[in-house]
Amino acid sequence: MRLDKYLVTLGVGSRSQVKELIKKGKIKVNNQIVNKPEQHIKEDEDIVNMEGLDLNYHKFYYYMLNKPTGVLTAVSDFQCTTVLDIMDITPKKGLFPVGRLDKDTEGLLLITNDGELSHMLLSPAKHVDKRYYVELDGTLSQSLIHSFETGFDIGEKNITKPAILEIIDENKAYVTITEGKYHQVKRMFKHFGLNVTYLKRISMGTLVLDKSLGAGEYRALRQEEVEQLLEYKKS
Ligand code: URA
């Protein structure tokens, strides 16, 4: 692939911007400054470097974001700040959040450009576990554990699929669901007269939110985290 095209693909800039960078001698290929935008590069072998930073070509990108409250789970929006707006990453084009968290929900969001993986993780048929930490405005009864296990009506076509409720104390719990209906966790507790006052997703399938990430922080997934997720594509 031509060097300028490759840099555009990586999201470094527009065709004219990357040509300018190349002309200014800012781009090295295998440690040699390259001045020709048309220079051919082998994406899988050549090491392309911009001002000291290696730019490696990946087909797919995977990040975990600890979504803060007040931010919309969307790629772009006219009015609200979105999860992509708060991420300073290159390339960003083509990335999207997998699934939705409400504006007032915090926690794990996978951000990727891997549409097939997203499809697998969100497919109702795959029953991918989503675990949340929940705080409520009232007292949790032990009897809810059984109700969550057997399912109940929250106004959808079918009753809720088996869910696991782990009560921490009278108004805090972990809940694991395999569905992703609109406001699902909130509606499940509402069914029992309880309002969710704080909600945070802590895992999705094999992917667990890194405890060191504060709200609004993110990182690229580690190789083993990606490999575990890619197993969902095979099953
Ligand atoms: N369930 C909810 O009610 N809200 C979320 O953001 C996620 C799950």
Side-chain angles (χ1 to χ4, degrees):
M1 189 190 291
R2 282 173 60 119
L3 177 60
D4 55 355
K5 181 156 188 259
Y6 180 67
L7 292 172
V8 172
T9 313
L10 286 179
V12 169
S14 65
R15 193 74 164 234
S16 58
Q17 285 168 331
V18 303
K19 279 189 174 156
E20 198 58 30
L21 288 167
I22 296 167
K23 295 235 165 81
K24 282 187 177 154
K26 306 247 183 219
I27 307 293
K28 285 183 181 171
V29 176
N30 301 328
N31 242 353
Q32 299 285 315
I33 292 179
V34 172
N35 296 108
K36 293 195 196 102
E38 68 277 14
Q39 168 141 342
H40 179 81
I41 58 144
K42 297 189 202 97
E43 301 101 90
D44 295 331
E45 287 173 31
D46 293 332
I47 295 169
V48 181
N49 181 291
M50 179 173 71
E51 297 183 304
L53 201 79
D54 280 347
L55 306 170
N56 294 320
Y57 181 83
H58 294 286
K59 191 169 173 207
F60 293 126
Y61 295 86
Y62 305 91
Y63 296 92
M64 68 162 78
L65 166 69
N66 183 0
K67 178 195 172 295
T69 57
V71 171
L72 207 65
T73 308
V75 173
S76 62
D77 191 82
F78 287 117
Q79 283 170 348
C80 298
T81 304
T82 70
V83 289
L84 263 307
D85 290 336
I86 64 168
M87 296 179 74
D88 185 16
I89 45 174
T90 307
K92 199 187 266 196
K93 204 164 162 244
L95 296 183
F96 57 86
V98 175
R100 263 181 67 98
L101 290 179
D102 297 337
K103 200 169 172 188
D104 59 357
T105 300
E106 277 186 20
L108 178 66
L109 251 193
L110 171 64
I111 309 286
T112 185
N113 57 345
D114 187 339
E116 191 192 346
L117 176 67
S118 169
H119 183 72
M120 293 297 167
L121 290 172
L122 298 178
S123 161
K126 296 276 170 187
H127 305 293
V128 174
D129 283 354
K130 280 142 303 228
R131 189 162 191 252
Y132 295 85
Y133 167 74
V134 197
E135 292 182 7
L136 302 141
D137 69 347
T139 304
L140 282 158
S141 140
Q142 293 292 328
S143 66
L144 261 62
I145 296 174
H146 181 67
S147 305
F148 273 56
E149 241 169 53
T150 48
F152 47 90
D153 184 8
I154 57 166
E156 295 286 336
K157 207 167 90 201
N158 298 312
I159 62 165
T160 53
K161 296 236 165 67
I164 302 167
L165 179 65
E166 301 161 78
I167 297 178
I168 301 169
D169 67 21
E170 63 171 25
N171 56 9
K172 295 186 189 69
Y174 291 110
V175 62
T176 305
I177 57 174
T178 60
E179 302 172 279
K181 299 263 162 37
Y182 181 66
H183 288 338
Q184 172 131 3
V185 173
K186 291 174 185 163
R187 284 161 67 203
M188 286 173 81
F189 285 102
K190 191 75 190 166
H191 180 82
F192 299 96
L194 296 166
N195 293 303
V196 170
T197 54
Y198 177 76
L199 186 60
K200 180 174 185 174
R201 181 154 69 191
I202 48 182
S203 68
M204 184 180 196
T206 54
L207 190 63
V208 180
L209 180 65
D210 185 330
K211 287 198 180 77
S212 71
L213 294 177
E217 293 183 336
Y218 52 88
R219 67 159 170 82
L221 293 197
R222 304 197 174 105
Q223 188 61 33
E224 71 265 21
E225 290 169 327
V226 173
E227 279 165 14
Q228 284 170 345
L229 283 179
L230 295 184
E231 288 295 314
Y232 291 104
K233 283 196 190 182
K234 295 179 193 161
S235 57

